[in-house]
Amino acid sequence: MTRIVIMGGGPAGYEAALVAAQHGADVTIVERDGLGGACVLYDCVPSKTFIASSGALAKMHDLGELGINTDMADTSIDLPTVHGRVKGLALAQSADIRARVQREGVRVIAGEARFCDEEPGLATHKVAVTTKDGTEKLPADVVLIATGATPRVLPGAVPDGERILDWRQLYELQELPEHLAVIGSGVTGAEFASAYTEMGVKVTVVSSRDRVLPHEDADAAAVLEEVFSQRGTTVAKHARADRVERTEKGVRIQLADGRVIEASHALMTVGSVPNTKDIGLDKVGIEVGPGGFITVDRVSRTSVPGIYAAGDCTGVLMLASVASMQGRIAMWHALGEGVAPIKLKTVAANVFTHPEIATVGISQQAIDSGEVPARTIMLPLATNARAKMEGLRRGFVKLFCRPATGVVVGGVVVAPQASELILPIALAVQNQLTVDHLALTFSVYPSLSGSITEAGRQLMRHDDLD
């Protein structure tokens, strides 16, 4: 029986454990905080639960157009209840995952794991597990490193949990910030800026680039900036924060160009660093790459036989869905199953702002630069019958296809439920379907998904018969 030790119980770790157990392996997960790891306990699940509360408020802004009278001035937020729900759902999800893996026969150890091989190059590895009861050494034929990542800390802006915060500390606040400065305009920064904006908080986004979401679709980012402008949120562009200092009433943010921003609280969203220190990588001969990330191939192998890595510690598209797939692929490969290498161009991703922004496949930037030839179509939701009924004026559906064959190679959706609407486009990209396949598929009328089939119809080529 193959002995497998998994270092970390986040999405990469527990999904790998389920696959390995189902294939008859002897599996042990070592996790310090709880099953689900930081994703479930501190990051993805808590943040999206919090965003769900703000989403309920976002829906109220345009209800007057639908004939429903609301007074936003009388709307109040019970923040302790919101945060209690956030923490409760995270713990419940963690408990569900633990119960599931234990039903499959996986051993779960609460502790910290590190390699303790006596010399590199051995066929069997040893993992030392430190718990409150002492240290245990586990022999392993296969080891999966799934130790995740933690919020990056800037030397001049160390979070204190009171005024200067990272995104894991927000849920300890007893009151909404009077003025929140979000430092960083990537996905995490944009999501929290959007959530607090909808909750009525004065928000300033500090962006080192010329727009929010610099790595996302430019048209989608423009929609979000329009919403921010309408709601009173300020985006300070070309603004790199040098340091953040506590003041008597809040924080003072010193920008590199001399500008100063004052706020009641600062939220640091400047990326993550991998948890790859002090886990004994030197004992097995693994050298980390730039930024401390572990280099892996498309089936999650490291440079050392028998050792795989998956999830945020690898820096490969830091998404829970990617981490899970990396973990599964690692186990299928390690146990001799046929497996297709991961294809990052087929990964669907979502930014949970209001509205949401979902993408898959080739980007608009790659098309505009000439890197990828493609035909494109962009349909505003304002022309969609269902969107009109619901009072939706912002958002769009984009579709990209190969010029000659019509094979769908990517798409973007900006809509209240873009995370759900992206799936048919993702299916098309994954399975190399054509715009004809979309065009000939029945969509419900009226529906927002009807814009996807309409985009397919508009991209169909008829000039071959001209």
Side-chain angles (χ1 to χ4, degrees):
M1 182 180 292
T2 304
R3 298 166 299 180
I4 296 176
V5 175
I6 299 174
M7 302 166 65
Y14 75 75
E15 288 288 351
L18 291 173
V19 168
Q22 289 163 1
H23 285 78
D26 176 12
V27 187
T28 300
I29 291 181
V30 183
E31 166 58 44
R32 179 184 60 191
D33 298 325
L35 266 294
C39 171
V40 169
L41 292 169
Y42 310 119
D43 297 339
C44 185
V45 169
S47 65
K48 302 315 176 274
T49 305
F50 182 80
I51 289 167
S53 292
S54 69
L57 288 169
K59 295 176 183 177
M60 296 177 63
H61 285 289
D62 300 318
L63 288 180
E65 181 180 338
L66 305 183
I68 300 173
N69 297 319
T70 59
D71 186 356
M72 292 295 291
D74 290 338
T75 303
S76 62
I77 298 170
D78 185 345
L79 197 62
T81 298
V82 172
H83 288 172
R85 182 171 181 268
V86 166
K87 296 173 184 177
L89 284 177
L91 291 173
Q93 181 70 5
S94 177
D96 286 347
I97 295 168
R98 183 184 185 91
R100 170 76 191 284
V101 299
Q102 288 182 328
R103 280 199 305 270
E104 297 293 334
V106 175
R107 182 188 180 195
V108 179
I109 301 177
E112 297 184 347
R114 66 188 311 275
F115 289 102
C116 60
D117 286 18
E118 296 178 0
E119 58 180 280
L122 297 176
T124 300
H125 302 286
K126 287 186 179 180
V127 177
V129 180
T130 303
T131 69
K132 62 180 180 179
D133 299 320
T135 301
E136 176 183 1
K137 292 186 177 180
L138 303 175
D141 304 304
V142 175
V143 179
L144 174 68
I145 306 169
T147 48
T150 53
R152 181 178 171 223
V153 175
L154 297 180
V158 179
D160 59 18
E162 296 177 354
R163 293 288 182 174
I164 305 172
L165 309 159
D166 66 34
W167 61 82
R168 297 180 179 179
Q169 297 171 330
L170 288 170
Y171 314 114
E172 302 304 322
L173 294 178
Q174 296 302 306
E175 297 179 347
L176 285 172
E178 180 182 341
H179 178 190
L180 179 66
V182 179
I183 300 175
S185 60
V187 172
T188 301
E191 288 181 344
F192 279 112
S194 178
Y196 279 100
T197 293
E198 298 301 338
M199 288 186 170
V201 174
K202 180 181 179 182
V203 176
T204 298
V205 180
V206 180
S207 174
S208 62
R209 306 294 187 87
D210 61 350
R211 63 179 174 92
V212 298
L213 297 173
H215 302 296
E216 302 296 324
D217 184 86
D219 293 322
V223 172
L224 184 59
E225 287 195 9
E226 181 184 347
V227 174
F228 280 167
S229 178
Q230 182 183 17
R231 300 279 196 265
T233 289
T234 301
V235 180
K237 301 181 181 181
H238 301 290
R240 186 176 297 278
D242 267 356
R243 62 182 182 274
V244 181
E245 302 170 340
R246 287 282 298 264
T247 64
E248 184 178 345
K249 295 183 179 180
V251 295
R252 184 176 187 272
I253 303 162
Q254 181 68 53
L255 303 183
D257 60 5
R259 286 180 288 172
V260 173
I261 296 173
E262 294 190 350
S264 65
H265 297 76
L267 172 61
M268 307 302 298
T269 61
V270 289
S272 300
V273 294
N275 299 325
T276 54
K277 290 184 178 180
D278 302 322
I279 61 171
L281 294 180
D282 57 317
K283 293 288 186 179
V284 291
I286 292 178
E287 295 183 3
V288 296
F293 294 100
I294 298 173
T295 302
V296 294
D297 64 12
R298 292 174 60 199
V299 292
S300 303
R301 288 179 296 190
T302 68
S303 59
V304 177
I307 300 180
Y308 295 73
D312 287 359
C313 66
T314 68
V316 178
L317 277 186
M318 298 169 79
L319 300 171
S321 59
V322 173
S324 299
M325 187 60 75
Q326 282 183 292
R328 296 186 201 107
I329 287 174
M331 293 301 99
W332 284 323
H333 186 272
L335 296 171
E337 296 294 319
V339 59
I342 195 167
K343 294 171 63 178
L344 297 180
K345 290 298 184 183
T346 66
V347 174
N350 193 68
V351 184
F352 289 86
T353 48
H354 306 294
E356 295 179 358
I357 299 169
T359 57
V360 67
I362 300 301
S363 68
Q364 180 77 63
Q365 182 180 10
I367 296 169
D368 292 343
S369 67
E371 179 184 344
V372 178
R375 290 188 284 121
T376 71
I377 188 72
M378 176 173 164
L379 299 182
L381 283 188
T383 64
N384 178 287
R386 180 67 177 272
K388 292 176 182 176
M389 296 170 190
E390 297 186 4
L392 302 178
R393 293 187 177 85
R394 297 187 185 89
F396 57 80
V397 169
K398 277 188 187 181
L399 202 61
F400 313 137
C401 73
R402 293 289 185 192
T405 63
V407 170
V408 178
V409 293
V412 182
V413 178
V414 179
Q417 295 293 327
S419 52
E420 308 294 340
L421 289 170
I422 199 67
L423 182 61
I425 302 177
L427 280 169
V429 172
Q430 173 70 35
N431 295 286
Q432 298 184 3
L433 302 182
T434 67
V435 291
D436 297 55
H437 288 120
L438 290 178
L440 297 174
T441 298
F442 284 96
S443 59
V444 172
Y445 183 86
S447 68
L448 296 184
S449 59
S451 288
I452 297 174
T453 55
E454 174 63 21
R457 285 190 288 274
Q458 292 198 26
L459 283 175
M460 291 176 70
R461 291 286 297 266
H462 301 286
D463 56 353
D464 292 340
L465 301 177
D466 293 342

